[in-house]
Structure formats: C-alpha cells, structure tokens
Amino acid sequence: MQNVTLNVQGMSCGHCVKAIEGSVGELAGVSEVNVKLAEALVDVSFNESEVSLDQIKETIEEQGYDVE
C-alpha cells in the first residue's frame, strides 16, 4: 500500500471535494481518499499493483483540477 499527498489547485467548495473523492475512490486499488480543501491537498492510499499514481492524477485532472 502506498500513501501520497498531492497538491491540487482549483478546489473551492464541497462539490469539489465530492467530485475528487468520488472519482478517485472508484478507481480499482484505491483504499482511501481524503481531500483537505483549505490546504489544497489530497491524500490517497492505494495499491500500486492495481492503479498507478499517474492514473490517479489523470482522474483528478479529468474533473477539472490541476495536480502539481
């Protein structure tokens, strides 16, 4: 299991939190997603044999946010 914290720009409200937690949480291999709106951070716990960090970043970017 791998844990990463991503810097995500463009999040501004509860809808943003639900969009990211919902879309990333649906990926196979992701066990936990925690959005910290005030800090512009997203903590993700995932199994790297099932999903890659790039796939997680792409999923967030597809929701309209920038991952730095």
PDB file of all heavy atoms in Angstrom, residues 19-36:
ATOM      1  N   ALA A  19     -16.438  15.574  -5.849  1.00  0.00           N
ATOM      2  CA  ALA A  19     -16.038  15.169  -7.203  1.00  0.00           C
ATOM      3  C   ALA A  19     -14.731  14.384  -7.170  1.00  0.00           C
ATOM      4  O   ALA A  19     -14.603  13.339  -7.807  1.00  0.00           O
ATOM      5  CB  ALA A  19     -15.906  16.399  -8.105  1.00  0.00           C
ATOM      6  N   ILE A  20     -13.770  14.881  -6.415  1.00  0.00           N
ATOM      7  CA  ILE A  20     -12.468  14.207  -6.355  1.00  0.00           C
ATOM      8  C   ILE A  20     -12.562  12.918  -5.551  1.00  0.00           C
ATOM      9  O   ILE A  20     -12.098  11.866  -6.000  1.00  0.00           O
ATOM     10  CB  ILE A  20     -11.398  15.147  -5.780  1.00  0.00           C
ATOM     11  CG1 ILE A  20     -11.125  16.276  -6.781  1.00  0.00           C
ATOM     12  CG2 ILE A  20     -10.110  14.379  -5.461  1.00  0.00           C
ATOM     13  CD1 ILE A  20     -10.201  17.362  -6.285  1.00  0.00           C
ATOM     14  N   GLU A  21     -13.160  12.988  -4.367  1.00  0.00           N
ATOM     15  CA  GLU A  21     -13.262  11.773  -3.546  1.00  0.00           C
ATOM     16  C   GLU A  21     -14.063  10.696  -4.259  1.00  0.00           C
ATOM     17  O   GLU A  21     -13.727   9.517  -4.188  1.00  0.00           O
ATOM     18  CB  GLU A  21     -13.866  12.099  -2.183  1.00  0.00           C
ATOM     19  CG  GLU A  21     -12.908  12.872  -1.289  1.00  0.00           C
ATOM     20  CD  GLU A  21     -13.471  13.183   0.089  1.00  0.00           C
ATOM     21  OE1 GLU A  21     -14.687  13.009   0.312  1.00  0.00           O
ATOM     22  OE2 GLU A  21     -12.680  13.622   0.949  1.00  0.00           O
ATOM     23  N   GLY A  22     -15.114  11.091  -4.965  1.00  0.00           N
ATOM     24  CA  GLY A  22     -15.932  10.118  -5.677  1.00  0.00           C
ATOM     25  C   GLY A  22     -15.211   9.483  -6.847  1.00  0.00           C
ATOM     26  O   GLY A  22     -15.197   8.254  -6.985  1.00  0.00           O
ATOM     27  N   SER A  23     -14.597  10.299  -7.693  1.00  0.00           N
ATOM     28  CA  SER A  23     -13.955   9.764  -8.898  1.00  0.00           C
ATOM     29  C   SER A  23     -12.702   8.959  -8.567  1.00  0.00           C
ATOM     30  O   SER A  23     -12.493   7.872  -9.106  1.00  0.00           O
ATOM     31  CB  SER A  23     -13.628  10.885  -9.886  1.00  0.00           C
ATOM     32  OG  SER A  23     -12.724  11.809  -9.320  1.00  0.00           O
ATOM     33  N   VAL A  24     -11.858   9.459  -7.672  1.00  0.00           N
ATOM     34  CA  VAL A  24     -10.641   8.729  -7.307  1.00  0.00           C
ATOM     35  C   VAL A  24     -10.996   7.491  -6.482  1.00  0.00           C
ATOM     36  O   VAL A  24     -10.411   6.426  -6.662  1.00  0.00           O
ATOM     37  CB  VAL A  24      -9.647   9.643  -6.552  1.00  0.00           C
ATOM     38  CG1 VAL A  24      -8.443   8.851  -6.052  1.00  0.00           C
ATOM     39  CG2 VAL A  24      -9.196  10.790  -7.448  1.00  0.00           C
ATOM     40  N   GLY A  25     -11.990   7.617  -5.614  1.00  0.00           N
ATOM     41  CA  GLY A  25     -12.405   6.494  -4.782  1.00  0.00           C
ATOM     42  C   GLY A  25     -12.954   5.318  -5.568  1.00  0.00           C
ATOM     43  O   GLY A  25     -12.925   4.180  -5.103  1.00  0.00           O
ATOM     44  N   GLU A  26     -13.435   5.573  -6.791  1.00  0.00           N
ATOM     45  CA  GLU A  26     -13.975   4.500  -7.637  1.00  0.00           C
ATOM     46  C   GLU A  26     -12.893   3.716  -8.364  1.00  0.00           C
ATOM     47  O   GLU A  26     -13.168   2.657  -8.915  1.00  0.00           O
ATOM     48  CB  GLU A  26     -14.951   5.084  -8.666  1.00  0.00           C
ATOM     49  CG  GLU A  26     -16.248   5.571  -8.048  1.00  0.00           C
ATOM     50  CD  GLU A  26     -17.171   6.222  -9.063  1.00  0.00           C
ATOM     51  OE1 GLU A  26     -16.800   6.314 -10.251  1.00  0.00           O
ATOM     52  OE2 GLU A  26     -18.272   6.642  -8.655  1.00  0.00           O
ATOM     53  N   LEU A  27     -11.669   4.228  -8.382  1.00  0.00           N
ATOM     54  CA  LEU A  27     -10.589   3.530  -9.075  1.00  0.00           C
ATOM     55  C   LEU A  27     -10.244   2.240  -8.337  1.00  0.00           C
ATOM     56  O   LEU A  27     -10.153   2.222  -7.109  1.00  0.00           O
ATOM     57  CB  LEU A  27      -9.339   4.412  -9.156  1.00  0.00           C
ATOM     58  CG  LEU A  27      -9.421   5.658 -10.019  1.00  0.00           C
ATOM     59  CD1 LEU A  27      -8.177   6.515  -9.820  1.00  0.00           C
ATOM     60  CD2 LEU A  27      -9.582   5.290 -11.486  1.00  0.00           C
ATOM     61  N   ALA A  28     -10.037   1.178  -9.099  1.00  0.00           N
ATOM     62  CA  ALA A  28      -9.620  -0.088  -8.506  1.00  0.00           C
ATOM     63  C   ALA A  28      -8.262   0.098  -7.847  1.00  0.00           C
ATOM     64  O   ALA A  28      -7.365   0.713  -8.423  1.00  0.00           O
ATOM     65  CB  ALA A  28      -9.530  -1.163  -9.577  1.00  0.00           C
ATOM     66  N   GLY A  29      -8.136  -0.385  -6.622  1.00  0.00           N
ATOM     67  CA  GLY A  29      -6.862  -0.283  -5.924  1.00  0.00           C
ATOM     68  C   GLY A  29      -6.762   0.884  -4.968  1.00  0.00           C
ATOM     69  O   GLY A  29      -5.856   0.937  -4.149  1.00  0.00           O
ATOM     70  N   VAL A  30      -7.688   1.844  -5.056  1.00  0.00           N
ATOM     71  CA  VAL A  30      -7.667   2.989  -4.140  1.00  0.00           C
ATOM     72  C   VAL A  30      -8.465   2.616  -2.894  1.00  0.00           C
ATOM     73  O   VAL A  30      -9.624   2.250  -2.982  1.00  0.00           O
ATOM     74  CB  VAL A  30      -8.270   4.255  -4.796  1.00  0.00           C
ATOM     75  CG1 VAL A  30      -8.393   5.375  -3.784  1.00  0.00           C
ATOM     76  CG2 VAL A  30      -7.414   4.697  -5.981  1.00  0.00           C
ATOM     77  N   SER A  31      -7.819   2.707  -1.732  1.00  0.00           N
ATOM     78  CA  SER A  31      -8.499   2.330  -0.500  1.00  0.00           C
ATOM     79  C   SER A  31      -9.010   3.531   0.283  1.00  0.00           C
ATOM     80  O   SER A  31      -9.966   3.409   1.035  1.00  0.00           O
ATOM     81  CB  SER A  31      -7.573   1.492   0.382  1.00  0.00           C
ATOM     82  OG  SER A  31      -6.425   2.236   0.727  1.00  0.00           O
ATOM     83  N   GLU A  32      -8.360   4.699   0.108  1.00  0.00           N
ATOM     84  CA  GLU A  32      -8.798   5.874   0.858  1.00  0.00           C
ATOM     85  C   GLU A  32      -8.430   7.148   0.116  1.00  0.00           C
ATOM     86  O   GLU A  32      -7.352   7.251  -0.466  1.00  0.00           O
ATOM     87  CB  GLU A  32      -8.138   5.878   2.239  1.00  0.00           C
ATOM     88  CG  GLU A  32      -8.660   6.950   3.160  1.00  0.00           C
ATOM     89  CD  GLU A  32      -8.067   6.847   4.569  1.00  0.00           C
ATOM     90  OE1 GLU A  32      -7.488   5.807   4.902  1.00  0.00           O
ATOM     91  OE2 GLU A  32      -8.197   7.826   5.303  1.00  0.00           O
ATOM     92  N   VAL A  33      -9.357   8.119   0.143  1.00  0.00           N
ATOM     93  CA  VAL A  33      -9.122   9.442  -0.436  1.00  0.00           C
ATOM     94  C   VAL A  33      -9.600  10.467   0.582  1.00  0.00           C
ATOM     95  O   VAL A  33     -10.727  10.384   1.055  1.00  0.00           O
ATOM     96  CB  VAL A  33      -9.912   9.653  -1.757  1.00  0.00           C
ATOM     97  CG1 VAL A  33      -9.566  11.003  -2.373  1.00  0.00           C
ATOM     98  CG2 VAL A  33      -9.670   8.534  -2.733  1.00  0.00           C
ATOM     99  N   ASN A  34      -8.743  11.427   0.891  1.00  0.00           N
ATOM    100  CA  ASN A  34      -9.102  12.464   1.853  1.00  0.00           C
ATOM    101  C   ASN A  34      -8.690  13.823   1.305  1.00  0.00           C
ATOM    102  O   ASN A  34      -7.497  14.094   1.153  1.00  0.00           O
ATOM    103  CB  ASN A  34      -8.424  12.195   3.202  1.00  0.00           C
ATOM    104  CG  ASN A  34      -8.813  13.197   4.251  1.00  0.00           C
ATOM    105  OD1 ASN A  34      -9.854  13.838   4.161  1.00  0.00           O
ATOM    106  ND2 ASN A  34      -7.984  13.348   5.253  1.00  0.00           N
ATOM    107  N   VAL A  35      -9.690  14.643   0.969  1.00  0.00           N
ATOM    108  CA  VAL A  35      -9.418  15.982   0.433  1.00  0.00           C
ATOM    109  C   VAL A  35      -9.349  16.979   1.580  1.00  0.00           C
ATOM    110  O   VAL A  35     -10.244  17.039   2.414  1.00  0.00           O
ATOM    111  CB  VAL A  35     -10.518  16.414  -0.568  1.00  0.00           C
ATOM    112  CG1 VAL A  35     -10.278  17.840  -1.033  1.00  0.00           C
ATOM    113  CG2 VAL A  35     -10.557  15.458  -1.755  1.00  0.00           C
ATOM    114  N   LYS A  36      -8.267  17.743   1.606  1.00  0.00           N
ATOM    115  CA  LYS A  36      -8.095  18.832   2.574  1.00  0.00           C
ATOM    116  C   LYS A  36      -8.253  20.135   1.805  1.00  0.00           C
ATOM    117  O   LYS A  36      -7.288  20.672   1.259  1.00  0.00           O
ATOM    118  CB  LYS A  36      -6.731  18.740   3.243  1.00  0.00           C
ATOM    119  CG  LYS A  36      -6.540  17.477   4.054  1.00  0.00           C
ATOM    120  CD  LYS A  36      -5.151  17.387   4.626  1.00  0.00           C
ATOM    121  CE  LYS A  36      -4.972  16.075   5.371  1.00  0.00           C
ATOM    122  NZ  LYS A  36      -3.568  15.875   5.774  1.00  0.00           N
TER     123      LYS A  36
END
